[in-house]
Amino acid sequence: MTPRPDGTLRRALRRLPRPPSLDRGRAVRALLAFALAFGSVTAVAGVEYGAFAAMGCYLDAYGNRDPYPRRATLTALLTGGFVLSFFAASLAAGHTWAMVAVLSLVAVAATLFVDTLDLSGPGGYFVVLVAALGAFLPPADPAEAAVRSGLVGLGAACAWLFGTIGTLTSPHRPEQRAASTALKDVAAFARAAAGAGPGPPDGPLADARQRACASLHRAWTALDETRPGWRRRGPDAPRLALHTLLTRLEGVLEVVEDSLCEDGAPVPGPWPRLLLDTAGQVRAGRVPAPWPGTAAAPGGPAPCAATAPWPAPLPPRRRPGDEVRRLYAPSSPFPAVALRVGLAVAGGTTIAALVPVLHPAWVAVGAAAALQGGPWRRPTWRSGWRLAGTVVGVGLTAAAFHSYEPGVWVTVTLASAGHALYRGLPRSSLFVRTMLSTPVALLIADAATLGRPGLGDLATYRLLDVSLGLALGMATTLLVRGIPVRRVRAAVQGAVAATAAALLDRLRTGSADPRSLGKAWEALAALWTMYAAVPAEEIRTTRTAAQLWPTLLALRRLLAWNLLAPPGRLGPGEADRTGAYLDALSTAAGAGLPGSPEIRAALPSPSLPGHPDLARRLADLHRALASSPPALTGRRRRGGHLWRRVLRRR
């Protein structure tokens, strides 16, 4: 009989990094789209034309986490972007400065399109890749360029078809998965809070709180993005059920956060298990049974603290023109991001055209990859793991094809399988994804050049060219600043001002106003975007994101109180005094970043209302704007062991 491991060994085994999880559904869809496009065109026109269809299949990198109605619209527009950028780059081939201009414009436009519309995926990276491949191919006449661009569009159409086919079988799956993740993370936070007791959260408890808030924000965003399809028939039953569920989950999160206060009630024991059971039902596509509002559950009350429904009708959604105008908003981080990517691609294109490298497109693409195309981590993190993955991928390719040149259908089979595998891996596994994508890129390049000069030489030059491109991208981060501080400050001030306006409407009228509340949630979403974008543009770790988080959390709790608190209103004198205090907070928020001496000098003296819960939340906002975040100490505070972050299961 095999002896069981003791407790120490079991704990050590649990701490070992788990292999990255594989999204089997996405892998199968990517395999079918890639094999259909690459294989069918290869069978009809030859492998050199099949390679163009394979390039179009890179569209499947986008929209995987977006609801199907939004995914179908935006990826269809991006398909046109693939075709137009490849055609323009093909016409510019052979003219150095024309290529620099076209690829720079493509990089800027693609980055602005993907980031501003918040389309899930690696920014404008794959649009730049497809355009760069077209620019550095041998010059072609307009008719040949149109044929190649049409094949790119065919591959993108196949990827679009298999990416949206799920709307026929499980039309609500993306928003259900987002809601299920939110339920799991709130359950983990509730379990951690129940074991910690009252007191300020720190360490694992603070991390659990951050994950719970971020997951619930993503779930609301996913549900909100399905609303353009409600205009004629209104929301269907599954979306209304998710709407009710997320509203009550807001109440659960409020109760758990209140339990950390000195006078807060403890978290009832059955809540984490009930939340996990509900998460399983939602992920399986079933509508969960409604939580009882007041009936007692085993060991405590049911997790429902929502006493008011989400505003009906829902806060007005912005029109497409409003989304475009976000580009010019002072609080938008995207113009600075797009400018940096465009400059990096321009530098990579210029050097690739002047320096005798074997595959110049990889230099420009490597420059873009240093700045985007991976999870939201700093450029040094992305570049390091991309270089490591490229080294291993090149080594595997060189070893496998040192003395063997694959045939046409071996190329199609291996490229399709590799593409499916790295599409199915999570975004956090950047090293493994790069390791798998490198042989696929080499096989496609070998097919497009009809086996000249051979996979062995291509692999060697792939390493040199990508390394040069990554170095150029890193140099761009040193020469061009990331997101300007004035834009970060504008995002904070906009969120504070919109929250203050919504709260003041509630205090004066006794009920939440859908229009002002909707604007407040939109401003808070802009601050979330800024909070996520800042670390991705920093060459070194700074405390900017840590400075934003307490303010973000305090504003979110104020809006949750505005939504969930029982109806009531303050007296006229107290409401006016609180309104003046909120206006002073909004003005002070524009003086500097939270915790800076400038904002501390501009903050007014606390003037809190008589309502104890509201007074505590306003005091938290005042403290968040005035307090400096703790200094970053230790390896864990700087981001932990990178290899664990790459391999951990998400």
Short mmCIF file of all heavy atoms in Angstrom, two decimals, residues 18 40 46 122 180 208 266 294 312 411 469 505 525 572 595 604:
data_model
loop_
_atom_site.label_atom_id
_atom_site.label_comp_id
_atom_site.label_asym_id
_atom_site.label_seq_id
_atom_site.Cartn_x
_atom_site.Cartn_y
_atom_site.Cartn_z
N ARG A 18 1.25 25.23 -10.96
CA ARG A 18 0.49 24.33 -11.81
C ARG A 18 0.67 24.70 -13.27
O ARG A 18 0.88 25.87 -13.60
CB ARG A 18 -1.00 24.41 -11.44
CG ARG A 18 -1.30 23.75 -10.12
CD ARG A 18 -2.76 23.92 -9.76
NE ARG A 18 -3.05 25.28 -9.34
CZ ARG A 18 -4.24 25.68 -8.92
NH1 ARG A 18 -5.23 24.82 -8.87
NH2 ARG A 18 -4.44 26.94 -8.55
N SER A 40 -7.53 25.15 -47.32
CA SER A 40 -8.31 25.28 -48.54
C SER A 40 -7.59 26.13 -49.59
O SER A 40 -7.57 25.78 -50.78
CB SER A 40 -9.68 25.89 -48.21
OG SER A 40 -9.53 27.18 -47.63
N GLY A 46 -1.93 26.98 -53.86
CA GLY A 46 -0.55 26.74 -53.45
C GLY A 46 -0.27 27.29 -52.07
O GLY A 46 -0.96 28.17 -51.56
N PRO A 122 -4.61 41.65 -27.81
CA PRO A 122 -3.26 42.23 -27.62
C PRO A 122 -3.07 43.58 -28.28
O PRO A 122 -2.10 43.80 -29.01
CB PRO A 122 -2.37 41.16 -28.25
CG PRO A 122 -3.20 40.58 -29.34
CD PRO A 122 -4.62 40.62 -28.85
N SER A 180 -19.60 34.36 -13.27
CA SER A 180 -19.13 33.23 -12.47
C SER A 180 -17.79 33.53 -11.81
O SER A 180 -17.57 33.22 -10.63
CB SER A 180 -19.03 31.98 -13.36
OG SER A 180 -18.47 30.89 -12.66
N ALA A 208 -7.18 39.63 -2.12
CA ALA A 208 -8.49 39.03 -2.38
C ALA A 208 -9.54 40.11 -2.60
O ALA A 208 -10.43 39.98 -3.46
CB ALA A 208 -8.89 38.13 -1.22
N PRO A 266 -19.96 40.16 11.49
CA PRO A 266 -19.13 39.15 10.83
C PRO A 266 -19.84 38.55 9.61
O PRO A 266 -21.07 38.60 9.49
CB PRO A 266 -18.93 38.10 11.93
CG PRO A 266 -20.09 38.28 12.85
CD PRO A 266 -20.39 39.75 12.83
N THR A 294 -34.88 37.70 2.93
CA THR A 294 -34.84 37.83 4.38
C THR A 294 -34.83 36.49 5.09
O THR A 294 -34.58 36.44 6.29
CB THR A 294 -36.05 38.63 4.86
OG1 THR A 294 -37.25 37.99 4.41
CG2 THR A 294 -36.00 40.06 4.31
N ALA A 312 -33.81 51.61 -13.07
CA ALA A 312 -34.60 51.20 -14.23
C ALA A 312 -35.35 52.43 -14.76
O ALA A 312 -36.11 53.05 -14.04
CB ALA A 312 -35.58 50.11 -13.84
N THR A 411 3.49 21.18 -43.22
CA THR A 411 3.50 22.58 -42.79
C THR A 411 2.12 23.02 -42.34
O THR A 411 1.95 23.65 -41.29
CB THR A 411 4.00 23.48 -43.93
OG1 THR A 411 5.35 23.13 -44.24
CG2 THR A 411 3.92 24.94 -43.55
N GLY A 469 14.32 44.11 -32.56
CA GLY A 469 13.05 44.82 -32.42
C GLY A 469 12.68 45.06 -30.97
O GLY A 469 12.23 46.15 -30.60
N ASP A 505 -27.25 64.40 -5.99
CA ASP A 505 -28.62 64.19 -6.45
C ASP A 505 -29.39 63.29 -5.49
O ASP A 505 -30.56 63.52 -5.19
CB ASP A 505 -28.62 63.59 -7.85
CG ASP A 505 -28.25 64.60 -8.92
OD1 ASP A 505 -28.31 65.81 -8.64
OD2 ASP A 505 -27.86 64.17 -10.03
N ALA A 525 -15.34 53.82 -14.50
CA ALA A 525 -14.75 52.87 -15.45
C ALA A 525 -13.52 53.46 -16.13
O ALA A 525 -12.53 52.75 -16.38
CB ALA A 525 -15.79 52.46 -16.49
N PRO A 572 -32.25 69.93 4.29
CA PRO A 572 -31.72 70.91 3.32
C PRO A 572 -30.38 71.49 3.73
O PRO A 572 -29.46 71.58 2.92
CB PRO A 572 -32.82 71.97 3.28
CG PRO A 572 -34.06 71.27 3.74
CD PRO A 572 -33.61 70.25 4.74
N GLY A 595 -2.32 61.49 -2.54
CA GLY A 595 -1.19 61.35 -1.64
C GLY A 595 -0.09 62.35 -1.86
O GLY A 595 0.86 62.40 -1.06
N PRO A 604 -10.11 70.14 1.54
CA PRO A 604 -10.80 70.93 2.57
C PRO A 604 -10.83 70.17 3.90
O PRO A 604 -10.53 68.97 3.97
CB PRO A 604 -12.21 71.08 2.00
CG PRO A 604 -12.41 69.82 1.21
CD PRO A 604 -11.05 69.50 0.62
#
